[in-house]
């Protein structure tokens, strides 16, 4: 019995000390904001950020603008498409912009684990402020969203 007890105690202690070899699980931060841009034009912003430890893995955003005036939606769609155009050939940065009835919907997914960070920074030099050593810290991204008026949970 003693022969089995001591090795089991040592191995058990190692599992406890190392967290049983369990890898840290990813978590999700959700940030939202609603606003009225002008009379009859409302905006909803939703960001779902998947992260592990201190670093962002994936950002999924859905931004929508609701308006009765189709011309407003078409103008905004053109503007959003121009904003995303530089990223069209960047792998792991996917987006879609469409008008559905009285709503302009813009969806984007950025996979920071697979994204070519150098190309990303080349396209948008301001992203250097968020990217440190090729990664984005969750606290930094959360601060950006909150500074824009979003509520994050």
């Amino acid at each position: 019995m003693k022969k089995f007890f001591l090795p089991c105690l040592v191995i058990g202690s190692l599992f406890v000390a190392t967290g049983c070899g369990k890898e840290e699980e990813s978590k999700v931060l959700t940030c939202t904001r609603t606003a009225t841009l002008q009379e009859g034009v409302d905006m909803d912003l939703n960001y779902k950020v998947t992260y592990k430890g201190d670093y962002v893995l994936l950002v999924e955003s859905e931004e929508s603008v609701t308006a009765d005036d189709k011309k407003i939606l078409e103008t905004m769609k053109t503007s959003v498409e121009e904003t995303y155009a530089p990223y069209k050939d960047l792998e792991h940065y996917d987006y879609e912009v469409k008008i559905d009835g009285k709503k302009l919907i813009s969806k984007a997914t950025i996979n920071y684990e697979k994204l070519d960070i150098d190309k990303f920074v080349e396209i948008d030099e301001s992203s250097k402020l968020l990217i440190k050593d090729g990664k984005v810290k969750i606290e930094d991204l959360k601060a950006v969203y909150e500074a824009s008026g979003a509520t994050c949970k």
Side-chain angles (χ1 to χ4, degrees):
M1 176 82 163
K2 263 187 175 179
K3 287 183 182 180
F4 291 112
F5 180 71
L6 187 56
C8 288
L9 181 63
V10 170
I11 292 171
S13 297
L14 287 174
F15 281 135
V16 170
T18 62
C20 300
K22 187 170 137 182
E23 189 176 313
E24 185 174 358
E25 293 195 23
S26 59
K27 298 177 184 175
V28 175
L29 173 73
T30 303
C31 299
T32 59
R33 177 176 179 228
T34 58
T36 298
L37 300 177
Q38 65 187 47
E39 182 72 32
V41 182
D42 297 313
M43 175 177 67
D44 287 307
L45 308 174
N46 296 288
Y47 306 100
K48 178 182 166 188
V49 183
T50 304
Y51 64 99
K52 186 183 284 187
D54 293 334
Y55 297 101
V56 174
L57 305 174
L58 181 73
V59 174
E60 298 168 282
S61 70
E62 182 172 320
E63 302 171 329
S64 65
V65 176
T66 305
D68 291 330
D69 187 340
K70 187 124 178 135
K71 286 183 182 180
I72 290 174
L73 294 178
E74 289 170 0
T75 300
M76 292 184 89
K77 181 177 188 266
T78 300
S79 177
V80 172
E81 287 172 333
E82 287 172 2
T83 300
Y84 281 128
Y87 303 98
K88 72 179 167 105
D89 295 324
L90 186 60
E91 287 186 54
H92 310 292
Y93 190 115
D94 302 309
Y95 63 90
E96 173 188 16
V97 183
K98 66 180 181 178
I99 295 176
D100 185 10
K102 294 181 179 187
K103 190 178 278 194
L104 168 66
I105 302 167
S106 168
K107 294 181 180 182
T109 301
I110 307 170
N111 185 333
Y112 283 99
E113 285 188 295
K114 297 179 180 179
L115 185 70
D116 183 332
I117 296 296
D118 293 332
K119 283 185 182 178
F120 181 64
V121 170
E122 190 177 299
I123 293 168
D124 180 9
E125 288 202 20
S126 68
S127 64
K128 284 184 194 177
L129 299 172
L130 275 180
I131 298 172
K132 309 281 190 292
D133 298 321
K135 297 180 179 182
V136 176
K137 283 195 163 191
I138 186 63
E139 288 304 316
D140 293 344
L141 189 57
K142 180 181 177 187
V144 168
Y145 289 142
E146 289 178 338
S148 73
T151 302
C152 298
K153 298 179 185 175

